[in-house]
């Protein structure tokens, strides 16, 4: 499939060495929980992978809990920590207003079914959490807060969140962070961030789909979502997905992601897009951002139409959010940053990755002006 | 041509899209999201607004091998179809929302957007035929007369028909299903939708009651004598016999039927079957699928007054404002608000919304 792929934040090509590692493991017989030779062999591969990941995440190997996705890691952490804290009489869940649905929705579920009060912390115009709000909230209601969950970097704008500051403000309050977008893109250390829990997802870094990790501080025991064999600290059950785990560890060790080079392409794109499409502007421009993400508003357009037109020009990008039936919705992230509905629905995310080239950037910019012209015409009817 | 295929998630639109591709057109599949909150219809799984349907449409597009997108037409649908549906009932008329959807959504909002995006037309799975003529495209009945949908398309203007592609016009429904199966489209056996898509429960009266209230009023005879009470005049249909719960029996013992709904006085008028007979029908505003007839010139043709009604031989004329049909034989129980469609054999001449019956 040819074309220009600018949606690396959705998923990025799998690394060849990760594919090779997965392929080899798929050919290896053995359930890692079995006690015989084959089982022990697979168990060793899984535990090697766990140690590699612990090194990459700067955590203890025993702090790694394998899940089937980043979403599952978030659900396990948010619901589990909430239930544990609720038994201590705390029911306030603090999240940011720019979280991914994998955080927003478990929090909303807790409010609907488990008596949680969810507080959405506001962000600045540049999409960075309002620390002053958080400080005041913790000062006034700290004893009621069960957990704070704030993403490490935003998936739509790339804005990096000051998690270490959040942890400082939180004090004894458990903090979870969704690091699905930032892992391997910017430095990430579980230990230095000081959070209780952190989620990542393999397919965002060139690993396979269907595998995620919850890093949960040693000694913390939370109720499980999935009950069964108790494979992962009794917090997560299910036969360990050895091929995916091994491939994830391989991807995590890969050094080919050149953040500087990707940021250079991204910056060039961001600069020139506002030149070739007058009136357009980059969101979260003043924030410290991930190297690969740029979010642009094109006033007078509808981004689902733009996506159709870009797709027709063989350029793949993203509109932000859609409901389960696929209906385009205004981005809650951009709305939280002060956009109105119309403006939030006229924005596109372009995300660059390991395989992105300057030619991709140039090619996208070549077709954008005509796409925007047609998109504006269509939104007028 | 570059075409947009409107894909509902049903078998007809899937096969229509596949045929358009096979005919060499450059086709993109589009599913119209018509409810602003599709989730709430999840359990309904009928009509055109469910998650299941958007999934089925996507799957069909993938099997056919065309790009697929969802277009949010909820606002346009609400304004052009749902609000019109409610206001027509409030005025004592019985609207046909499928017709309005064709007029306002599929061949207006969608067609206009398609054209603005550089497409030449919209493909749908409707059973109707278009033909080229010196004065532009004309609209005709489908080969499968049981499935013929020219009635609900008759409201289209010539410029709308120009942008409409109906690949199934020459096909009988059973063959469409067979073809879907051969093409590996799993929607082949999906049941036809019958109900009004935005009334997922199928309970039209209940849906109207929820939105328009259920103010009680009198049921009267043609002389104005009270015979009983009703709970919301708009839940009655002209020609309805059952469920009237009249407290005063008819002196002759004849059954009585709803003759008229008068929203202003909130009364329902009932009477004998004979009183339901209608010979002259006026409809407005007329839409012409071709040349406009000479004013006040009486012409011969066929009138159709219901979605699957029989063609009724008639004289018709355009008096400059209304389209008027004089039927050879009277028709019984005709509601205002439905469409009067005039045919010249199988060709649609024009249509209008029935405003008066005599």
């Amino acid at each position: 499939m040819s074309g220009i792929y600018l949606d690396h934040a959705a998923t990025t090509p799998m690394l060849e060495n990760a594919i090779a590692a997965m392929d080899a493991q798929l050919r290896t017989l053995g359930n890692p929980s079995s006690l015989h030779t084959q089982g022990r062999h697979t168990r060793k591969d899984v535990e090697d992978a766990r140690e590699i990941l612990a090194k990459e995440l700067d955590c203890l190997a025993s702090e790694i809990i394998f899940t089937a996705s980043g979403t599952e890691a978030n659900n396990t952490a948010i619901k589990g920590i909430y239930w544990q804290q609720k038994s201590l009489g705390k029911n306030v869940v603090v999240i940011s207003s720019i979280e991914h649905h994998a955080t927003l929705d478990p929090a909303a579920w807790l409010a609907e079914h488990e008596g949680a009060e969810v507080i959405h912390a506001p962000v600045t115009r540049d999409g960075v959490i309002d620390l002053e709000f958080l400080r005041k909230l913790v000062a006034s209601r700290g004893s009621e807060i069960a957990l704070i969950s704030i993403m490490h970097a935003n998936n739509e704008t790339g804005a990096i969140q000051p998690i270490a500051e959040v942890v400082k403000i939180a004090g004894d309050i458990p903090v979870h962070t969704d690091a699905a977008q930032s892992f391997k893109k910017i430095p990430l250390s579980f230990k230095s961030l000081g959070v209780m829990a952190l989620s990542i997802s393999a397919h965002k870094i060139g690993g396979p789909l269907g595998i995620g990790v919850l890093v949960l501080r040693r000694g913390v025991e939370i109720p499980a979502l999935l009950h069964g064999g108790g494979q992962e600290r009794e917090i997560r059950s299910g036969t360990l997905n050895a091929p995916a785990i091994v491939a994830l560890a391989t991807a995590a060790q890969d050094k080919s992601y050149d953040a500087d080079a990707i940021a250079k392409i991204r910056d060039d794109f961001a600069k020139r897009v506002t030149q070739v499409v007058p009136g357009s502007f980059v969101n979260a421009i003043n924030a410290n951002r991930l190297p690969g993400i740029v979010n642009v508003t094109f006033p007078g357009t509808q981004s689902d139409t733009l996506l159709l037109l870009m797709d027709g020009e063989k350029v793949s990008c993203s509109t932000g959010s859609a409901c389960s039936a696929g209906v385009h919705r205004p981005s809650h992230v951009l709305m939280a940053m002060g956009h109105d509905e119309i403006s939030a629905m006229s924005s596109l995310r372009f995300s660059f990755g390991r395989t992105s080239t300057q030619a991709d950037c140039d090619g996208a910019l070549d077709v954008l002006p005509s796409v925007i012209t047609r998109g504006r015409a269509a939104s007028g009817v | 041509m570059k075409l947009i295929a409107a894909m509902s998630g049903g078998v007809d639109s899937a096969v229509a899209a596949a045929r358009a591709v096979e005919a060499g057109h450059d086709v993109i599949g589009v599913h119209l999201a018509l409810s602003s909150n599709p989730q709430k219809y999840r359990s309904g799984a009928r009509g055109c607004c469910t998650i299941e349907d958007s999934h089925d449409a996507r799957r069909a597009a993938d099997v056919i091998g065309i790009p697929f997108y969802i277009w949010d037409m909820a606002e346009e649908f609400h304004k052009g179809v749902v609000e019109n549906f409610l206001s027509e009932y409030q005025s004592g008329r019985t609207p046909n929302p499928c017709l309005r959807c064709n007029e306002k959504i599929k061949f207006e909002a969608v067609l206009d957007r398609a054209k603005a995006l550089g497409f030449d037309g919209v493909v749908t799975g409707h059973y109707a035929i278009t033909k080229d003529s010196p004065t532009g495209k004309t609209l005709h009945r489908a080969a499968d007369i049981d499935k013929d949908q020219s009635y609900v398309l008759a409201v289209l203007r010539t410029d709308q028909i120009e942008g409409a592609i109906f690949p199934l016009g020459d096909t009988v429904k059973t063959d469409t299903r067979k073809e879907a199966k051969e093409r590996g489209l799993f929607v082949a056996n999906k049941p036809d939708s019958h109900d009004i898509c935005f009334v997922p429960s199928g309970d039209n009266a209940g849906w109207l009651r929820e939105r328009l209230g259920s103010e009680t009023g009198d049921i009267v005879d043609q002389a104005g004598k009270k015979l009983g009470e009703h709970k919301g005049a708009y839940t009655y249909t002209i020609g309805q016999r059952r469920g009237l719960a009249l407290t005063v029996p008819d002196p002759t013992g004849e059954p009585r039927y709803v003759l008229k709904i008068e929203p202003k006085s909130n009364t329902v008028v009932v009477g004998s079957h004979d009183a339901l007979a209608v010979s002259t029908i006026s409809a407005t505003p007329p839409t012409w699928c071709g040349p406009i007839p000479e004013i006040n010139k009486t012409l011969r043709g066929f009138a159709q007054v219901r979605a699957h009604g029989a063609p009724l031989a008639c004289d018709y004329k355009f008096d400059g404002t209304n389209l008027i049909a004089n039927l050879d034989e009277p028709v019984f129980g005709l509601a205002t608000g439905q469409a009067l469609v005039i045919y010249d054999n199988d060709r649609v001449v024009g249509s209008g919304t029935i405003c008066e019956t005599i």
Side-chain angles (χ1 to χ4, degrees), chain B residues 216-289:
Chain B
T216 56
D218 291 347
I219 301 180
V220 299
D221 66 15
Q222 281 164 290
K225 186 181 160 202
K226 183 174 172 178
L227 303 176
E229 278 196 350
H230 67 74
K231 291 177 180 174
Y234 41 79
T235 58
Y236 295 84
T237 320
I238 307 292
Q240 179 179 341
R241 177 183 161 188
R242 291 170 192 282
L244 296 177
L246 302 178
T247 49
V248 182
D250 186 84
T252 65
E254 287 293 306
R256 283 169 299 192
Y257 300 82
V258 174
L259 301 180
K260 215 171 168 186
I261 294 155
E262 293 178 340
K264 275 191 188 154
S265 58
N266 193 29
T267 50
V268 172
V269 183
V270 299
S272 68
H273 188 257
D274 287 351
L276 281 173
V278 165
S279 297
T280 303
I281 305 164
S282 296
T284 196
T287 309
W288 306 106
C289 306

Side-chain angles (χ1 to χ4, degrees), chain A residues 158-190:
Chain A
I160 298 165
Q161 307 300 315
I163 298 303
E165 291 297 311
V166 170
V167 170
K168 251 187 236 161
I169 292 167
D172 293 340
I173 300 167
V175 176
H176 163 256
T177 190
D178 177 351
Q181 288 295 343
S182 55
F183 181 46
K184 301 299 290 178
K185 315 286 165 55
I186 55 172
L188 175 69
S189 158
F190 180 74

Side-chain angles (χ1 to χ4, degrees), chain A residues 302 304-305 307-309 311-312 323-329 345 374-375 377-379 381, chain B residues 28 30 33 35-39 42 51 54 58 67 69-72 112-113 116-117 119:
Chain A
Q302 283 172 315
D304 57 342
T305 303
L307 187 140
L308 179 156
L309 293 167
D311 203 7
C323 79
S324 45
V327 178
H328 181 48
R329 288 279 168 253
M345 282 179 94
R374 278 179 285 160
S379 76
V381 298
Chain B
I28 279 180
V30 163
S35 163
S36 51
N37 185 9
Q39 280 92 341
R42 187 182 301 209
I51 291 178
S54 77
R58 179 185 301 277
Y69 308 95
I70 308 255
W71 282 6
D72 182 3
D112 288 352
R113 194 160 169 190
L117 292 173
F119 291 85

Side-chain angles (χ1 to χ4, degrees), chain B residues 127-129 140-145 147-150 168-171:
Chain B
Y127 287 82
I129 292 172
H140 301 257
R141 288 194 190 275
D144 183 345
I145 216 66
K147 283 301 294 180
D148 172 45
Q149 289 174 303
S150 58
L168 303 186
D170 63 350
T171 308

Side-chain angles (χ1 to χ4, degrees), chain A residues 8-31:
Chain A
H8 288 267
T11 198
T12 196
M14 225 176 128
L15 286 151
E16 282 303 326
N17 51 1
I19 294 172
M22 187 154 180
D23 182 75
Q25 196 67 41
L26 281 166
R27 293 164 201 281
T28 307
L29 173 66
N31 182 328

